[in-house]
Amino acid sequence: MLTDVENALVSHVTRGDVLDLAGAEVIDEAAMRSWGESRTVRASVLRDIMRGRLAPDPDPHGLRLRGARIDGRLDLENITSTVALKLTDCLLDEGMNARDAHLAFVSLNGCRLEHPDEPALEAARLVAVRLDLQRAVLTARDKTGALIANRAHFGVLDCKGASLRNDSGPALSADGLRVDQTLFLDGEFTAVGAGEIGAISLVGAFLGWLDCTGASLSNDSGPALSADGLRVDQAAFLRTEFTVVGAGDAGAIRLVGAHVGDLDFTGASLRNESGPALGAYNLRVDRNMFLAGGFSAVAAGEVVVNLGNVGVGGSLVFRPARLEHRTNPRSLLRVDGLVYTGLPLRISTREWLRLLREATPEYAAQPYQQFAAAHRAAGHDAEVRRILMAQRRDQIDRRALTGQAERGWARLTGLLLGYGYQPWRALVCLLIALVAAVGLALVLGGQGGLVHPQSAIGCTAVERVGVGLDLGTPLVKTNAGAHCVTTATTPGQILTVAGWALQLLAWAFATLFIAGFTGVVRKT
C-alpha cells in the first residue's frame, strides 16, 4: 500500500508536475537527515514507477521529485525505461544501483548518495542520454568506487560542483566510459580517493570533451587522475585552479598513451611528494598543448613532468610558473621524443636550452635536433648553430661520449671550431700563428738569426717578414728563405725550431678550417 506522499508522487508523474517537498527551506545534510515519514519515499516505489507499473501513462516530463528521503537502495539494475528520472536535493542513504540499465535521462542534482558497504552510485554499463550529478555528494568506503561508471555510455555526464569521496578506493571509477559530448568535472568539483587505481580512473575512456576547470583531485596513496589510453576528441581542459595532489611512482596525473585534441593545463597546480607530478609518456595531442599561465608542478620522483615521446600536432605553449623537484633540480623534465610544430611558445631560446641542459635527467640528442629543426624552418640560422653547439657541449659534459680520446677531440674541436659550426675560429688561430711567425722572424732575425748565405750579412726587415710569412702560411711561399737562412747562433736555432712548430700549427689550423667548413667534424 502506498503512503500519502507516494500516492502524490504517482499523481505528479502522471500529470508531469514536480513533487516539491522542500519548498523554500534551506536544504543541507542536517536537514536531510531530519526528514521523517512525510518526506520519505520507498525506493521500491520509484523502481515500480520507472518500470511503468504504478504510472502506466507517465507524462514525458517523467519522475520529478525534490526534497525527499529515499528509503532503501534504489535498484534499477537491468531496467530499460523511457521514463526520465529527476531527483533533486534528495537523500539516498543507501545509494543507487543502475548497473546494466538503459534509461532515458537521469538527474540527481543536489542529492546525497551514500552506502556503508557498497558504491554510492553503481552505474557500470549504464546507458543514458544524460546523467546529471550537479552539486551531488557521493560518499563510500568501498574498494571499487564511490561512483562506478565503467563502460557506461552517456551523451553527457555532468558532475559540475559535485563532491565524491571514498576512503577505501576510487572516488570515480570510469574505465572504458564513453561520453559522446562532454564530461563535466568542473565548477568546484572535488574528488578524494585512495589506492593505486586513482581518485579518478578514466583508463581507456572515450570522451568528446573533458572539462575539469577549477576541480580539485586528491589521493594520498596513488594517482589523483589515472587516464592511460584516454581518448578525448576535442579538448581536455585541466586548467584555472585545477588542483591535483597525488602520491607514488605512477604520478599525480597519468596520461600515458592518451590521445586528445587540445590539452590545456593553463593555471593548473600538480603535486606529488613521492613520485612524478605528470606522467604523459606516449601522449598524442592533435592540436595544441598548454603548460603555461601559472602552471606549476612539484614532485619528488624520477622526474617532475614526463613528456617523453609526446607528439603535439600544433603548438607547444610552455611557460610554467614553477617546476620543482624536492631533491634533484636536474629531474624537472623528460622530453626525449617530444615533437611539436614550430617553436615552443612563450619561452625564449635561451631558457629552453637551459632546461634541456640543466633540468633533464640525462643527455638526449632528439630535443636539441627538434628545436634546431624548428629554428631552421623559421630561417634562424644563427640560432640553429647556437642550439647545435649547446647540444655538443651537453653531450660532452654529461659524458655521453665514450672514451677520453673522443671527449678530448670533441673539446678541442669545440675550442678551435665551435664544434664545426664556427670554422672561422681556425682562421683566427691561423692568423695568430702567422703574426707570431712574422714577429719571431723580425726579432730573432735582427739578432743574427737570419743572414744572406753568401755574404753573411744580416737580412733586411722586409726579407725577415718574408721568412715569417713562409713559416706561418702552409701554402703561400715568398721564397724569402732562398735569400735568408738561419744561422747556428742561438737566435737562429730558436727560429729554426719555432719555424717547425709554426709550420705544423699552420697546417693543422688550415686543415681544421677545411674540416669545419665542409661539416666533417659536426658529428653529434
Side-chain angles (χ1 to χ4, degrees), residues 79-294:
I79 286 180
T80 298
S81 176
T82 60
V83 178
L85 175 63
K86 301 178 182 178
L87 304 180
T88 305
D89 300 328
C90 293
L91 173 63
L92 294 84
D93 52 11
E94 292 187 43
M96 174 176 168
N97 178 11
R99 183 172 49 228
D100 294 308
H102 285 69
L103 306 176
F105 185 99
V106 180
S107 174
L108 302 172
N109 291 342
C111 292
R112 176 175 287 271
L113 294 86
E114 55 194 33
H115 197 284
D117 303 313
E118 297 184 55
L121 175 55
E122 165 63 270
R125 299 175 298 279
L126 168 64
V127 178
V129 173
R130 188 178 182 107
L131 174 59
D132 279 355
L133 295 169
Q134 295 183 29
R135 302 179 293 101
V137 177
L138 283 72
T139 57
R141 293 187 297 275
D142 186 272
K143 65 180 182 180
T144 58
L147 167 58
I148 297 179
N150 297 327
R151 297 184 297 285
H153 187 180
F154 307 114
V156 173
L157 175 53
D158 191 347
C159 299
K160 190 185 303 289
S163 175
L164 279 58
R165 185 180 187 95
N166 186 359
D167 295 333
S168 302
L172 168 60
S173 178
D175 294 352
L177 169 70
R178 183 183 181 94
V179 180
D180 297 331
Q181 298 178 46
T182 304
L183 170 57
F184 292 100
L185 302 176
D186 61 335
E188 298 183 2
F189 170 87
T190 62
V192 179
E196 297 179 355
I197 295 176
I200 292 181
S201 181
L202 293 172
V203 174
F206 180 96
L207 313 174
W209 298 75
L210 173 61
D211 191 349
C212 296
T213 302
S216 176
L217 317 178
S218 63
N219 182 357
D220 61 7
S221 54
L225 173 60
S226 181
D228 291 358
L230 171 68
R231 172 70 182 266
V232 182
D233 260 3
Q234 299 301 319
F237 298 130
L238 311 175
R239 63 186 184 185
T240 315
E241 299 183 4
F242 174 63
T243 304
V244 169
V245 178
D249 294 337
I253 292 182
R254 282 184 58 87
L255 292 171
V256 176
H259 190 168
V260 302
D262 289 280
L263 182 57
D264 191 349
F265 279 102
T266 299
S269 175
L270 283 55
R271 181 181 295 272
N272 185 352
E273 297 293 344
S274 55
L278 172 61
Y281 184 81
N282 241 4
L283 168 70
R284 292 295 176 265
V285 180
D286 292 333
R287 293 179 291 277
N288 303 317
M289 182 173 181
F290 299 84
L291 295 167

Side-chain angles (χ1 to χ4, degrees), residues 371-391:
F371 197 34
H375 275 285
R376 187 179 292 112
H380 305 158
D381 292 341
E383 294 286 37
V384 172
R385 290 191 292 271
R386 177 183 176 188
I387 293 164
L388 295 177
M389 289 171 65
Q391 176 190 350

